[in-house]
Amino acid sequence: MPIPGVTARPLARTYDAVVIGAGIQGLATAYELAKRGVRRVAVLDSSWPGGGASGRNGELIRSAFSSAEWITLFDASLKRWHQLSRELDFNVLFNPSGYLVLASTEEQYARCRADVEVQARFGLRTELLDQQAVLDRVPALNPDAVVGAVLQPAAGFAHHDAAVWGYARAAARLGVEVHAGIEVLGVTVRGGRVAGVTTSTHDVSAPVVVNAAGAAAGRLAGTAGVELPLDMARLEMLVTESVAPFLRPAVAALAALGYCHQTSRGEFVGGTELAVPDHTPSLNGTYRLLRDMAQKFVWLFPQLSAARVLRHWAGLITQTADLSPIVGTAPGVDGFYLSCGWVYGFVGAPAAAAHLADTVCDGRLHPTIAPFDALRFAEGRPIREGSLVVPAQSEGPGPREVAS
Ligand SMILES: Cc1cc2nc3c(=O)[nH]c(=O)nc-3n(C[C@H](O)[C@H](O)[C@H](O)COP(=O)(O)OP(=O)(O)OC[C@H]3O[C@@H](n4cnc5c(N)ncnc54)[C@H](O)[C@@H]3O)c2cc1C
């Protein structure tokens, strides 16, 4: 059976642009390039569209962050998510049912309060909720886990496969060739300009190459002589059987290092992270994380103790030291572009792809993505985003991992 959006054509030897990776970033970038009139665009993926993190993620979508850089980029994305089904002519199942960033300690709550003030300065509509206001919205939450929250009413979640398929099909309609099962072995550079890629079948020449290879992005950039400070990390998720509706908004729980939502079919979908990131390059789920997720989600929502887990899976991402993506031009190699190091790459894709395509077509770094350039680490300009669900923010009450 054909994979939606994947071409039946053989891979040509020349394109106007080659995108490495048919995750949401690569597909969205190819779609945006084609929309801007770039004619012969190929997306090459060693597996299949959505086979990487884009088909394995928690699907959560928000722009309520704490830094100017993140708010600007991700709010541009959130606005696009609201139009995406119509634009792609495909239902990406975007559900703007709200997003709670949950504080379980006074310190986290103080951070939420400061974030809401910053968000207001950027015109975001968010609210600081106290404990009672949170429990009124989500009575299923354990009161001991709630001090307060930031609510972003216009945020929510979408379906990750639907978003990937939507972009793949819309790109294909514009003439983009999405090739599955083609591995890129290296990026070819001649005289400081990108010349194309070497693949598992043959060499392909192209004046523009976009590296959106997810977990492999660092290695592939290295083949072009571009060293990127990327670390691989394995994340895990679970989904339960359908249960009666109890959770309308998406929730990110700072103390549990967890994020979750309930689908319209009733499944509870969530993932948690450990205090120490897991750098194992494996797609196998682990019992350790399964137990961590079960403990933390039952702590947050006690009624889940009776729910059965249907599936549990893992996905790989790459991340930078400041946990912000690298989007823009590759230093020292003309025509080589980067969209990698994505920790929140599902929500970020619509705007990042559009502005990366602007950058390719205009020959000028779009101001929204400019702060996310690759040189910021070497030049001491890290982005300081403080509202991410990451290990450094996991202090305070909450279930702790139990030693085996
Ligand atoms: C468990 C989990 C939960 C997450 N939750 C969220 C969330 O709630 N919200 C959010 O915004 N983000 C979330 N993320 C992160 C998000 O999924 C990623 O940031 C995003 O999917 C990155 O998209 P991408 O297109 O850059 O990479 P990917 O989707 O990983 O795509 C990269 C593609 O490149 C291909 N590839 C790799 N090497 C090669 C090669 N040599 N040649 C050709 N192709 C190659 C791969 O097969 C893959 O298809 C989560 C991630 C995980 C794993």
Side-chain angles (χ1 to χ4, degrees), residues 20-26 44-61 74 182-185 212-217 219-220 234-237 259 313-317 339-340 342-348:
I20 312 170
I24 191 164
Q25 292 292 340
L44 313 184
D45 199 293
S46 48
S47 61
W48 62 90
S54 297
R56 301 166 185 272
N57 61 50
E59 311 184 317
L60 267 56
I61 290 171
F74 288 82
I182 302 280
E183 185 179 6
V184 175
L185 305 174
R219 182 171 53 76
L220 281 170
R234 173 170 62 172
L235 305 178
E236 299 185 34
M237 302 280 305
Y259 29 85
W313 66 90
L316 300 176
I317 58 162
S339 177
C340 45
W342 282 101
V343 175
Y344 284 57
F346 183 65
V347 44

Side-chain angles (χ1 to χ4, degrees), residues 141-218:
L141 272 165
N142 170 7
D144 293 342
V146 182
V147 170
V150 177
L151 170 68
Q152 184 172 29
F157 54 92
H159 193 289
H160 50 214
D161 294 326
V164 165
W165 295 336
Y167 268 121
R169 291 163 61 125
R173 277 199 304 274
L174 295 178
V176 171
E177 291 179 18
V178 180
H179 291 269
I182 302 280
E183 185 179 6
V184 175
L185 305 174
V187 177
T188 324
V189 180
R190 274 189 218 108
R193 265 213 69 84
V194 83
V197 293
T198 309
T199 79
S200 46
T201 59
H202 56 261
D203 290 356
V204 174
S205 64
V208 169
V209 173
V210 179
N211 179 356

Side-chain angles (χ1 to χ4, degrees), residues 138-381:
V138 188
L141 272 165
N142 170 7
D144 293 342
V146 182
V147 170
V150 177
L151 170 68
Q152 184 172 29
F157 54 92
H159 193 289
H160 50 214
D161 294 326
V164 165
W165 295 336
Y167 268 121
R169 291 163 61 125
R173 277 199 304 274
L174 295 178
V176 171
E177 291 179 18
V178 180
H179 291 269
I182 302 280
E183 185 179 6
V184 175
L185 305 174
V187 177
T188 324
V189 180
R190 274 189 218 108
R193 265 213 69 84
V194 83
V197 293
T198 309
T199 79
S200 46
T201 59
H202 56 261
D203 290 356
V204 174
S205 64
V208 169
V209 173
V210 179
N211 179 356
R219 182 171 53 76
L220 281 170
T223 66
V226 177
E227 297 306 323
L228 298 178
L230 292 172
D231 265 343
M232 186 186 290
R234 173 170 62 172
L235 305 178
E236 299 185 34
M237 302 280 305
L238 62 72
V239 56
T240 71
E241 63 183 339
S242 289
V243 292
F246 71 96
L247 181 60
R248 218 178 118 60
V251 174
L254 296 170
L257 285 180
Y259 29 85
C260 55
H261 66 89
Q262 187 177 20
T263 71
S264 49
R265 281 195 312 219
E267 300 112 331
F268 172 84
V269 185
T272 61
E273 298 179 28
L274 300 175
V276 179
D278 176 359
H279 298 298
T280 319
S282 158
L283 286 175
N284 293 333
T286 61
Y287 177 68
R288 188 178 181 205
L289 248 296
L290 183 60
R291 189 182 51 188
D292 188 68
M293 293 189 276
Q295 284 175 338
K296 288 173 173 171
F297 286 132
V298 169
W299 174 68
L300 283 169
F301 304 105
Q303 71 185 67
L304 281 179
S305 63
R308 283 178 295 190
V309 172
L310 276 189
R311 284 190 301 124
H312 157 221
W313 66 90
L316 300 176
I317 58 162
T318 50
Q319 58 190 41
T320 63
D322 64 7
L323 298 172
S324 302
I326 297 175
V327 194
T329 51
V333 184
D334 288 348
F336 188 29
Y337 296 87
L338 307 168
S339 177
C340 45
W342 282 101
V343 175
Y344 284 57
F346 183 65
V347 44
H355 297 322
L356 187 57
D358 288 336
T359 300
V360 173
C361 295
D362 301 345
R364 212 162 13 96
L365 205 52
H366 190 281
T368 302
I369 57 169
F372 297 91
D373 69 315
L375 288 176
R376 68 181 186 272
F377 304 100
E379 294 178 356
R381 298 180 277 106

